[in-house]
Amino acid sequence: MSNQSTVLYDAPGPRARARNRITAVVFVVIVVAALGYMVSVLADNGQFAAEKWDPFTVGGTWTTWILPGLWGTLKAAFVSIVLALIIGAFLGIGRMSDHKWVRMVSGFIVEVFRALPVLILMFFAYFLFAKYAVVPSSQLSFAAVVFGLTLYNGSVIAEILRAGIQAVPRGQSEAAQSIGLRKSQMMRMILLPQAVTAMLPALISQMVIALKDSALGYAFGYIEVVRSGIVSASYWGNYLPSLVVVAIIMIVINFCLTGFANYLERRLRRGRRKTNAPDPDVAELETMENVPGFNKIG
Amino acid sequence: MSTLWESMGPALWPAFWITIKLTFYSAIGSLIWGVLLAGMKVSPVPVMRGFATVYVNVVRNTPLTLIIIFCSIGLYQNLGLALAPDNATFIESNNFRLAVLGFILYTSTFVCETLRAGFNTVPIGQAEAARSLGLSFPQVFGLIVLPQALRTVIAPLGSVLIALTKNTTIASVIGVSEAALLMKSELETNGDQILVIFAIIAVGFMIITLSEGAFFGWAAKRWAVKR
């Protein structure tokens, strides 16, 4: 990116530097004015009053609401990612099966669940589980969240793994066949480990999506961090500060995960440098099928 | 079945029409704000680059549900930001516009990232040639790099749009009466028809997303930059 940004403009001379400085000052003034306006409105509303923020210094706010909510978010995201990995592996391998009907069934499942909004899946699971008493009623919303996240992320992970397996050089499977491995052995011992390593950054990014999406449980009363923030806020009467605190918690967690994914990606790429590694951003474009909801057409 | 159809049939098109409108306005807004963000991210002014980077990283890592709730509880109920004229349909149209605002704030970060990836596909010689003609940064960006990048990223932008379409269901948490909210209320009243209700709503969404995908697939081929 640093290369690209310098290609768009020359190394600035005196006039360009002056112009850039003026632009910067104008931009800063606009941003500061906007922020100042927001702050003044907030201050007029008493949002900065100590009693709005004090609840967060009280241990009870954390132990009663925020931490259980955070636990709910992490639990739902973690369970569904583990399940999604399992389902994704089956579906991804299924799409490359030698048997046509296995390919078709897995392909159908992947396409359908990728095309549907996760919230719709969750509503469906919630009412279905409630009607047939599949899970105890105390776990109903948890099960619905996990169901929705698992099917959606499982489908996406299937596509990620399939892309990863197809990216493994052909020589690897040829070599595996030549030493007499069966297809399942080749998949398990040769292809899958390499695909998972190569796709690790994408898989971690998928965890961020699962973490964010678990907040959808809000819509039917699952105790995740956004819901618990709102409940705590209705007790203390500090909606805005609660939302801000919850947002900061989520941003920090997701930011760390994203950073970790980027770090892994750089490391993996460094390991493969000799193989003519493509521009990371362009490669990203080509693997955009990992973007939620991408349907490969034509 | 017939009672289900009596209650759901007439409500189906209005609900999906709200979904389509949410998608449409949010898409337009996200495209504009996303292009501006992408422009800032490659601009010669460090402050702008910093602002765009911080904005994208912060907003992208926030759950969309939280952003939508923030637009409703934070911006409207606490800060009194009303986006609709004060009339009989105030609550409805205000919630709709708050939801659109939330979707724009969120989706534009993905538009920005996609575009930035697209900039890197534009051959360096293009920007160099433009500069050698004496074009300024806004001209190089707006006339040379952006048009080529946009044509390259049509397909990924299509997936951002499809994701946006699916995300509009989240507007239901602040009471915008789109398809997901219809599904929820139908499931509550006609609890014995879970599968049918799910199938109807699912097919509705698939009609929208698949036609978006088909359009963008066609558009990507039609307008691709041949290199």
Side-chain angles (χ1 to χ4, degrees), chain A residues 137-182:
Chain A
S137 60
S138 61
Q139 298 298 316
L140 198 55
S141 46
F142 172 71
V145 171
V146 169
F147 177 88
L149 289 181
T150 301
L151 282 181
Y152 173 68
N153 291 306
S155 304
V156 179
I157 286 175
E159 290 298 275
I160 296 177
L161 282 180
R162 192 166 67 114
I165 290 173
Q166 279 169 351
V168 175
R170 266 243 325 265
Q172 295 284 325
S173 39
E174 284 166 359
Q177 278 162 349
S178 74
I179 58 171
L181 292 187
R182 260 177 285 127

mmCIF file of all heavy atoms in Angstrom, chain A residues 137-182:
data_model
loop_
_atom_site.group_PDB
_atom_site.id
_atom_site.type_symbol
_atom_site.label_atom_id
_atom_site.label_comp_id
_atom_site.label_asym_id
_atom_site.label_seq_id
_atom_site.Cartn_x
_atom_site.Cartn_y
_atom_site.Cartn_z
ATOM 1 N N SER A 137 -35.555 -25.280 27.719
ATOM 2 C CA SER A 137 -35.948 -23.918 27.357
ATOM 3 C C SER A 137 -34.930 -22.884 27.819
ATOM 4 O O SER A 137 -34.827 -21.810 27.243
ATOM 5 C CB SER A 137 -37.325 -23.594 27.937
ATOM 6 O OG SER A 137 -37.279 -23.714 29.340
ATOM 7 N N SER A 138 -34.132 -23.200 28.844
ATOM 8 C CA SER A 138 -33.137 -22.227 29.288
ATOM 9 C C SER A 138 -32.018 -22.081 28.258
ATOM 10 O O SER A 138 -31.351 -21.058 28.208
ATOM 11 C CB SER A 138 -32.539 -22.670 30.628
ATOM 12 O OG SER A 138 -31.895 -23.915 30.486
ATOM 13 N N GLN A 139 -31.837 -23.118 27.433
ATOM 14 C CA GLN A 139 -30.754 -23.081 26.442
ATOM 15 C C GLN A 139 -31.267 -22.758 25.042
ATOM 16 O O GLN A 139 -30.525 -22.835 24.068
ATOM 17 C CB GLN A 139 -30.043 -24.452 26.398
ATOM 18 C CG GLN A 139 -29.378 -24.851 27.675
ATOM 19 C CD GLN A 139 -28.274 -23.871 28.053
ATOM 20 O OE1 GLN A 139 -27.482 -23.462 27.218
ATOM 21 N NE2 GLN A 139 -28.232 -23.465 29.311
ATOM 22 N N LEU A 140 -32.558 -22.374 24.982
ATOM 23 C CA LEU A 140 -33.202 -22.223 23.684
ATOM 24 C C LEU A 140 -32.509 -21.176 22.812
ATOM 25 O O LEU A 140 -32.127 -21.452 21.664
ATOM 26 C CB LEU A 140 -34.660 -21.834 23.904
ATOM 27 C CG LEU A 140 -35.607 -22.031 22.746
ATOM 28 C CD1 LEU A 140 -35.551 -23.466 22.262
ATOM 29 C CD2 LEU A 140 -37.017 -21.667 23.171
ATOM 30 N N SER A 141 -32.310 -19.976 23.375
ATOM 31 C CA SER A 141 -31.735 -18.917 22.546
ATOM 32 C C SER A 141 -30.275 -19.212 22.221
ATOM 33 O O SER A 141 -29.804 -18.903 21.133
ATOM 34 C CB SER A 141 -31.890 -17.557 23.219
ATOM 35 O OG SER A 141 -31.522 -17.637 24.561
ATOM 36 N N PHE A 142 -29.573 -19.841 23.172
ATOM 37 C CA PHE A 142 -28.186 -20.232 22.894
ATOM 38 C C PHE A 142 -28.132 -21.203 21.720
ATOM 39 O O PHE A 142 -27.341 -21.035 20.780
ATOM 40 C CB PHE A 142 -27.564 -20.868 24.144
ATOM 41 C CG PHE A 142 -26.206 -21.467 23.925
ATOM 42 C CD1 PHE A 142 -25.108 -20.651 23.706
ATOM 43 C CD2 PHE A 142 -26.022 -22.841 23.933
ATOM 44 C CE1 PHE A 142 -23.851 -21.184 23.501
ATOM 45 C CE2 PHE A 142 -24.764 -23.389 23.725
ATOM 46 C CZ PHE A 142 -23.683 -22.559 23.505
ATOM 47 N N ALA A 143 -29.023 -22.208 21.760
ATOM 48 C CA ALA A 143 -29.034 -23.201 20.684
ATOM 49 C C ALA A 143 -29.355 -22.548 19.350
ATOM 50 O O ALA A 143 -28.763 -22.900 18.314
ATOM 51 C CB ALA A 143 -30.045 -24.298 20.996
ATOM 52 N N ALA A 144 -30.275 -21.577 19.366
ATOM 53 C CA ALA A 144 -30.648 -20.915 18.116
ATOM 54 C C ALA A 144 -29.472 -20.130 17.555
ATOM 55 O O ALA A 144 -29.189 -20.185 16.353
ATOM 56 C CB ALA A 144 -31.840 -19.989 18.342
ATOM 57 N N VAL A 145 -28.762 -19.415 18.432
ATOM 58 C CA VAL A 145 -27.604 -18.646 17.973
ATOM 59 C C VAL A 145 -26.560 -19.588 17.388
ATOM 60 O O VAL A 145 -26.041 -19.363 16.289
ATOM 61 C CB VAL A 145 -27.001 -17.816 19.132
ATOM 62 C CG1 VAL A 145 -25.682 -17.188 18.712
ATOM 63 C CG2 VAL A 145 -27.963 -16.737 19.569
ATOM 64 N N VAL A 146 -26.275 -20.673 18.109
ATOM 65 C CA VAL A 146 -25.254 -21.612 17.647
ATOM 66 C C VAL A 146 -25.674 -22.249 16.329
ATOM 67 O O VAL A 146 -24.875 -22.393 15.396
ATOM 68 C CB VAL A 146 -24.981 -22.688 18.721
ATOM 69 C CG1 VAL A 146 -24.142 -23.811 18.144
ATOM 70 C CG2 VAL A 146 -24.273 -22.061 19.899
ATOM 71 N N PHE A 147 -26.956 -22.592 16.217
ATOM 72 C CA PHE A 147 -27.456 -23.202 14.985
ATOM 73 C C PHE A 147 -27.217 -22.277 13.786
ATOM 74 O O PHE A 147 -26.643 -22.675 12.777
ATOM 75 C CB PHE A 147 -28.952 -23.500 15.136
ATOM 76 C CG PHE A 147 -29.605 -24.060 13.904
ATOM 77 C CD1 PHE A 147 -29.618 -25.418 13.667
ATOM 78 C CD2 PHE A 147 -30.204 -23.216 12.978
ATOM 79 C CE1 PHE A 147 -30.215 -25.935 12.535
ATOM 80 C CE2 PHE A 147 -30.809 -23.723 11.836
ATOM 81 C CZ PHE A 147 -30.815 -25.089 11.619
ATOM 82 N N GLY A 148 -27.654 -21.027 13.935
ATOM 83 C CA GLY A 148 -27.505 -20.077 12.833
ATOM 84 C C GLY A 148 -26.052 -19.853 12.472
ATOM 85 O O GLY A 148 -25.666 -19.923 11.296
ATOM 86 N N LEU A 149 -25.233 -19.598 13.491
ATOM 87 C CA LEU A 149 -23.817 -19.313 13.232
ATOM 88 C C LEU A 149 -23.120 -20.524 12.627
ATOM 89 O O LEU A 149 -22.293 -20.388 11.728
ATOM 90 C CB LEU A 149 -23.110 -18.913 14.532
ATOM 91 C CG LEU A 149 -23.463 -17.550 15.110
ATOM 92 C CD1 LEU A 149 -22.663 -17.294 16.374
ATOM 93 C CD2 LEU A 149 -23.185 -16.458 14.097
ATOM 94 N N THR A 150 -23.452 -21.718 13.135
ATOM 95 C CA THR A 150 -22.767 -22.924 12.660
ATOM 96 C C THR A 150 -23.056 -23.175 11.188
ATOM 97 O O THR A 150 -22.137 -23.402 10.394
ATOM 98 C CB THR A 150 -23.216 -24.148 13.472
ATOM 99 O OG1 THR A 150 -22.903 -23.912 14.832
ATOM 100 C CG2 THR A 150 -22.511 -25.393 12.996
ATOM 101 N N LEU A 151 -24.343 -23.104 10.806
ATOM 102 C CA LEU A 151 -24.676 -23.407 9.423
ATOM 103 C C LEU A 151 -24.083 -22.372 8.476
ATOM 104 O O LEU A 151 -23.513 -22.712 7.442
ATOM 105 C CB LEU A 151 -26.187 -23.477 9.248
ATOM 106 C CG LEU A 151 -26.773 -24.786 9.740
ATOM 107 C CD1 LEU A 151 -28.261 -24.799 9.512
ATOM 108 C CD2 LEU A 151 -26.126 -25.968 9.030
ATOM 109 N N TYR A 152 -24.202 -21.095 8.859
ATOM 110 C CA TYR A 152 -23.671 -20.060 7.975
ATOM 111 C C TYR A 152 -22.144 -20.151 7.876
ATOM 112 O O TYR A 152 -21.581 -20.267 6.783
ATOM 113 C CB TYR A 152 -24.086 -18.673 8.461
ATOM 114 C CG TYR A 152 -23.422 -17.592 7.675
ATOM 115 C CD1 TYR A 152 -23.745 -17.389 6.343
ATOM 116 C CD2 TYR A 152 -22.418 -16.797 8.231
ATOM 117 C CE1 TYR A 152 -23.110 -16.432 5.587
ATOM 118 C CE2 TYR A 152 -21.778 -15.839 7.490
ATOM 119 C CZ TYR A 152 -22.129 -15.663 6.172
ATOM 120 O OH TYR A 152 -21.470 -14.718 5.430
ATOM 121 N N ASN A 153 -21.484 -20.138 9.038
ATOM 122 C CA ASN A 153 -20.020 -20.163 9.005
ATOM 123 C C ASN A 153 -19.491 -21.486 8.481
ATOM 124 O O ASN A 153 -18.446 -21.516 7.835
ATOM 125 C CB ASN A 153 -19.452 -19.873 10.391
ATOM 126 C CG ASN A 153 -19.688 -18.431 10.801
ATOM 127 O OD1 ASN A 153 -19.319 -17.524 10.076
ATOM 128 N ND2 ASN A 153 -20.328 -18.227 11.930
ATOM 129 N N GLY A 154 -20.214 -22.572 8.756
ATOM 130 C CA GLY A 154 -19.810 -23.865 8.204
ATOM 131 C C GLY A 154 -19.772 -23.818 6.690
ATOM 132 O O GLY A 154 -18.831 -24.313 6.058
ATOM 133 N N SER A 155 -20.796 -23.185 6.081
ATOM 134 C CA SER A 155 -20.823 -23.087 4.621
ATOM 135 C C SER A 155 -19.669 -22.249 4.103
ATOM 136 O O SER A 155 -19.040 -22.594 3.099
ATOM 137 C CB SER A 155 -22.144 -22.456 4.167
ATOM 138 O OG SER A 155 -23.216 -23.188 4.665
ATOM 139 N N VAL A 156 -19.406 -21.137 4.807
ATOM 140 C CA VAL A 156 -18.309 -20.279 4.341
ATOM 141 C C VAL A 156 -16.974 -20.998 4.503
ATOM 142 O O VAL A 156 -16.112 -20.958 3.617
ATOM 143 C CB VAL A 156 -18.319 -18.938 5.103
ATOM 144 C CG1 VAL A 156 -17.170 -18.069 4.649
ATOM 145 C CG2 VAL A 156 -19.629 -18.220 4.892
ATOM 146 N N ILE A 157 -16.812 -21.690 5.656
ATOM 147 C CA ILE A 157 -15.556 -22.400 5.896
ATOM 148 C C ILE A 157 -15.373 -23.509 4.861
ATOM 149 O O ILE A 157 -14.256 -23.771 4.403
ATOM 150 C CB ILE A 157 -15.528 -22.949 7.338
ATOM 151 C CG1 ILE A 157 -15.305 -21.789 8.302
ATOM 152 C CG2 ILE A 157 -14.443 -23.992 7.519
ATOM 153 C CD1 ILE A 157 -15.380 -22.157 9.760
ATOM 154 N N ALA A 158 -16.488 -24.138 4.457
ATOM 155 C CA ALA A 158 -16.394 -25.161 3.412
ATOM 156 C C ALA A 158 -15.767 -24.576 2.162
ATOM 157 O O ALA A 158 -14.891 -25.186 1.539
ATOM 158 C CB ALA A 158 -17.782 -25.722 3.101
ATOM 159 N N GLU A 159 -16.216 -23.372 1.809
ATOM 160 C CA GLU A 159 -15.666 -22.729 0.616
ATOM 161 C C GLU A 159 -14.201 -22.353 0.819
ATOM 162 O O GLU A 159 -13.381 -22.481 -0.086
ATOM 163 C CB GLU A 159 -16.481 -21.481 0.287
ATOM 164 C CG GLU A 159 -17.863 -21.782 -0.214
ATOM 165 C CD GLU A 159 -17.834 -22.567 -1.495
ATOM 166 O OE1 GLU A 159 -17.733 -21.980 -2.569
ATOM 167 O OE2 GLU A 159 -17.894 -23.804 -1.400
ATOM 168 N N ILE A 160 -13.875 -21.865 2.032
ATOM 169 C CA ILE A 160 -12.482 -21.494 2.313
ATOM 170 C C ILE A 160 -11.584 -22.718 2.174
ATOM 171 O O ILE A 160 -10.535 -22.675 1.527
ATOM 172 C CB ILE A 160 -12.356 -20.889 3.729
ATOM 173 C CG1 ILE A 160 -13.140 -19.575 3.817
ATOM 174 C CG2 ILE A 160 -10.903 -20.656 4.089
ATOM 175 C CD1 ILE A 160 -13.128 -18.954 5.189
ATOM 176 N N LEU A 161 -12.030 -23.840 2.782
ATOM 177 C CA LEU A 161 -11.210 -25.051 2.739
ATOM 178 C C LEU A 161 -11.073 -25.574 1.314
ATOM 179 O O LEU A 161 -10.004 -26.017 0.893
ATOM 180 C CB LEU A 161 -11.818 -26.136 3.629
ATOM 181 C CG LEU A 161 -11.571 -25.976 5.122
ATOM 182 C CD1 LEU A 161 -12.221 -27.106 5.884
ATOM 183 C CD2 LEU A 161 -10.072 -25.952 5.422
ATOM 184 N N ARG A 162 -12.182 -25.502 0.568
ATOM 185 C CA ARG A 162 -12.130 -25.985 -0.803
ATOM 186 C C ARG A 162 -11.117 -25.170 -1.606
ATOM 187 O O ARG A 162 -10.291 -25.728 -2.342
ATOM 188 C CB ARG A 162 -13.509 -25.888 -1.451
ATOM 189 C CG ARG A 162 -13.617 -26.610 -2.758
ATOM 190 C CD ARG A 162 -15.048 -26.742 -3.149
ATOM 191 N NE ARG A 162 -15.600 -25.423 -3.455
ATOM 192 C CZ ARG A 162 -16.005 -25.078 -4.667
ATOM 193 N NH1 ARG A 162 -15.915 -25.929 -5.657
ATOM 194 N NH2 ARG A 162 -16.507 -23.886 -4.896
ATOM 195 N N ALA A 163 -11.171 -23.848 -1.422
ATOM 196 C CA ALA A 163 -10.200 -23.000 -2.119
ATOM 197 C C ALA A 163 -8.781 -23.364 -1.694
ATOM 198 O O ALA A 163 -7.868 -23.426 -2.520
ATOM 199 C CB ALA A 163 -10.484 -21.530 -1.821
ATOM 200 N N GLY A 164 -8.615 -23.647 -0.381
ATOM 201 C CA GLY A 164 -7.295 -23.989 0.132
ATOM 202 C C GLY A 164 -6.792 -25.307 -0.441
ATOM 203 O O GLY A 164 -5.632 -25.421 -0.847
ATOM 204 N N ILE A 165 -7.683 -26.295 -0.510
ATOM 205 C CA ILE A 165 -7.276 -27.603 -1.025
ATOM 206 C C ILE A 165 -6.919 -27.497 -2.502
ATOM 207 O O ILE A 165 -5.955 -28.086 -2.975
ATOM 208 C CB ILE A 165 -8.401 -28.642 -0.798
ATOM 209 C CG1 ILE A 165 -8.513 -28.949 0.693
ATOM 210 C CG2 ILE A 165 -8.127 -29.918 -1.580
ATOM 211 C CD1 ILE A 165 -9.678 -29.818 1.068
ATOM 212 N N GLN A 166 -7.722 -26.696 -3.232
ATOM 213 C CA GLN A 166 -7.428 -26.559 -4.664
ATOM 214 C C GLN A 166 -6.133 -25.804 -4.908
ATOM 215 O O GLN A 166 -5.523 -25.927 -5.965
ATOM 216 C CB GLN A 166 -8.599 -25.860 -5.368
ATOM 217 C CG GLN A 166 -9.719 -26.837 -5.675
ATOM 218 C CD GLN A 166 -10.987 -26.153 -6.110
ATOM 219 O OE1 GLN A 166 -11.101 -24.933 -6.035
ATOM 220 N NE2 GLN A 166 -11.951 -26.946 -6.550
ATOM 221 N N ALA A 167 -5.706 -25.008 -3.895
ATOM 222 C CA ALA A 167 -4.481 -24.229 -4.068
ATOM 223 C C ALA A 167 -3.231 -25.052 -3.773
ATOM 224 O O ALA A 167 -2.128 -24.620 -4.073
ATOM 225 C CB ALA A 167 -4.527 -22.992 -3.182
ATOM 226 N N VAL A 168 -3.404 -26.232 -3.163
ATOM 227 C CA VAL A 168 -2.233 -27.080 -2.903
ATOM 228 C C VAL A 168 -1.705 -27.586 -4.242
ATOM 229 O O VAL A 168 -2.489 -28.060 -5.073
ATOM 230 C CB VAL A 168 -2.628 -28.272 -1.999
ATOM 231 C CG1 VAL A 168 -1.443 -29.216 -1.825
ATOM 232 C CG2 VAL A 168 -3.102 -27.769 -0.652
ATOM 233 N N PRO A 169 -0.400 -27.463 -4.473
ATOM 234 C CA PRO A 169 0.147 -27.857 -5.769
ATOM 235 C C PRO A 169 -0.219 -29.295 -6.138
ATOM 236 O O PRO A 169 -0.258 -30.171 -5.269
ATOM 237 C CB PRO A 169 1.657 -27.728 -5.561
ATOM 238 C CG PRO A 169 1.817 -26.758 -4.462
ATOM 239 C CD PRO A 169 0.628 -26.916 -3.587
ATOM 240 N N ARG A 170 -0.483 -29.534 -7.453
ATOM 241 C CA ARG A 170 -0.935 -30.844 -7.895
ATOM 242 C C ARG A 170 0.054 -31.944 -7.543
ATOM 243 O O ARG A 170 -0.319 -33.078 -7.258
ATOM 244 C CB ARG A 170 -1.160 -30.822 -9.413
ATOM 245 C CG ARG A 170 -2.570 -30.525 -9.791
ATOM 246 C CD ARG A 170 -3.289 -31.645 -10.555
ATOM 247 N NE ARG A 170 -2.490 -32.422 -11.459
ATOM 248 C CZ ARG A 170 -2.375 -32.173 -12.767
ATOM 249 N NH1 ARG A 170 -2.963 -31.134 -13.283
ATOM 250 N NH2 ARG A 170 -1.675 -32.975 -13.545
ATOM 251 N N GLY A 171 1.352 -31.595 -7.579
ATOM 252 C CA GLY A 171 2.393 -32.578 -7.293
ATOM 253 C C GLY A 171 2.204 -33.263 -5.957
ATOM 254 O O GLY A 171 2.572 -34.428 -5.779
ATOM 255 N N GLN A 172 1.616 -32.534 -5.005
ATOM 256 C CA GLN A 172 1.415 -33.109 -3.679
ATOM 257 C C GLN A 172 0.488 -34.315 -3.734
ATOM 258 O O GLN A 172 0.771 -35.366 -3.161
ATOM 259 C CB GLN A 172 0.819 -32.056 -2.743
ATOM 260 C CG GLN A 172 1.727 -30.895 -2.458
ATOM 261 C CD GLN A 172 2.820 -31.266 -1.478
ATOM 262 O OE1 GLN A 172 2.611 -32.052 -0.575
ATOM 263 N NE2 GLN A 172 3.991 -30.707 -1.681
ATOM 264 N N SER A 173 -0.665 -34.169 -4.461
ATOM 265 C CA SER A 173 -1.589 -35.304 -4.508
ATOM 266 C C SER A 173 -1.038 -36.399 -5.410
ATOM 267 O O SER A 173 -1.252 -37.582 -5.159
ATOM 268 C CB SER A 173 -2.983 -34.850 -4.959
ATOM 269 O OG SER A 173 -2.885 -33.897 -5.960
ATOM 270 N N GLU A 174 -0.295 -36.004 -6.457
ATOM 271 C CA GLU A 174 0.314 -37.023 -7.319
ATOM 272 C C GLU A 174 1.315 -37.854 -6.526
ATOM 273 O O GLU A 174 1.329 -39.092 -6.609
ATOM 274 C CB GLU A 174 0.996 -36.352 -8.513
ATOM 275 C CG GLU A 174 -0.001 -35.890 -9.567
ATOM 276 C CD GLU A 174 0.621 -34.936 -10.561
ATOM 277 O OE1 GLU A 174 1.814 -34.614 -10.414
ATOM 278 O OE2 GLU A 174 -0.105 -34.509 -11.472
ATOM 279 N N ALA A 175 2.135 -37.150 -5.717
ATOM 280 C CA ALA A 175 3.114 -37.863 -4.902
ATOM 281 C C ALA A 175 2.410 -38.782 -3.914
ATOM 282 O O ALA A 175 2.821 -39.927 -3.695
ATOM 283 C CB ALA A 175 3.997 -36.866 -4.157
ATOM 284 N N ALA A 176 1.320 -38.279 -3.322
ATOM 285 C CA ALA A 176 0.579 -39.091 -2.358
ATOM 286 C C ALA A 176 0.046 -40.355 -3.022
ATOM 287 O O ALA A 176 0.118 -41.449 -2.466
ATOM 288 C CB ALA A 176 -0.555 -38.272 -1.765
ATOM 289 N N GLN A 177 -0.490 -40.191 -4.240
ATOM 290 C CA GLN A 177 -1.010 -41.362 -4.956
ATOM 291 C C GLN A 177 0.119 -42.326 -5.290
ATOM 292 O O GLN A 177 -0.036 -43.542 -5.191
ATOM 293 C CB GLN A 177 -1.717 -40.913 -6.247
ATOM 294 C CG GLN A 177 -3.128 -40.444 -6.005
ATOM 295 C CD GLN A 177 -3.660 -39.609 -7.144
ATOM 296 O OE1 GLN A 177 -2.921 -39.201 -8.037
ATOM 297 N NE2 GLN A 177 -4.949 -39.357 -7.117
ATOM 298 N N SER A 178 1.268 -41.781 -5.651
ATOM 299 C CA SER A 178 2.355 -42.656 -6.099
ATOM 300 C C SER A 178 2.922 -43.482 -4.948
ATOM 301 O O SER A 178 3.484 -44.546 -5.181
ATOM 302 C CB SER A 178 3.465 -41.837 -6.750
ATOM 303 O OG SER A 178 4.190 -41.159 -5.755
ATOM 304 N N ILE A 179 2.790 -42.990 -3.700
ATOM 305 C CA ILE A 179 3.236 -43.855 -2.607
ATOM 306 C C ILE A 179 2.085 -44.705 -2.083
ATOM 307 O O ILE A 179 2.177 -45.340 -1.041
ATOM 308 C CB ILE A 179 3.883 -43.063 -1.446
ATOM 309 C CG1 ILE A 179 2.901 -42.044 -0.884
ATOM 310 C CG2 ILE A 179 5.176 -42.403 -1.877
ATOM 311 C CD1 ILE A 179 3.398 -41.377 0.391
ATOM 312 N N GLY A 180 0.977 -44.707 -2.812
ATOM 313 C CA GLY A 180 -0.084 -45.665 -2.539
ATOM 314 C C GLY A 180 -1.064 -45.261 -1.458
ATOM 315 O O GLY A 180 -1.733 -46.127 -0.885
ATOM 316 N N LEU A 181 -1.170 -43.950 -1.174
ATOM 317 C CA LEU A 181 -2.177 -43.541 -0.180
ATOM 318 C C LEU A 181 -3.566 -43.637 -0.808
ATOM 319 O O LEU A 181 -3.740 -43.365 -1.998
ATOM 320 C CB LEU A 181 -1.925 -42.101 0.263
ATOM 321 C CG LEU A 181 -0.657 -41.836 1.072
ATOM 322 C CD1 LEU A 181 -0.667 -40.401 1.578
ATOM 323 C CD2 LEU A 181 -0.532 -42.797 2.230
ATOM 324 N N ARG A 182 -4.534 -44.018 0.042
ATOM 325 C CA ARG A 182 -5.910 -43.988 -0.429
ATOM 326 C C ARG A 182 -6.395 -42.543 -0.414
ATOM 327 O O ARG A 182 -5.777 -41.681 0.178
ATOM 328 C CB ARG A 182 -6.789 -44.872 0.454
ATOM 329 C CG ARG A 182 -7.049 -46.239 -0.175
ATOM 330 C CD ARG A 182 -7.852 -47.112 0.750
ATOM 331 N NE ARG A 182 -7.030 -47.614 1.841
ATOM 332 C CZ ARG A 182 -7.335 -47.494 3.115
ATOM 333 N NH1 ARG A 182 -8.434 -46.868 3.464
ATOM 334 N NH2 ARG A 182 -6.548 -47.992 4.049
#
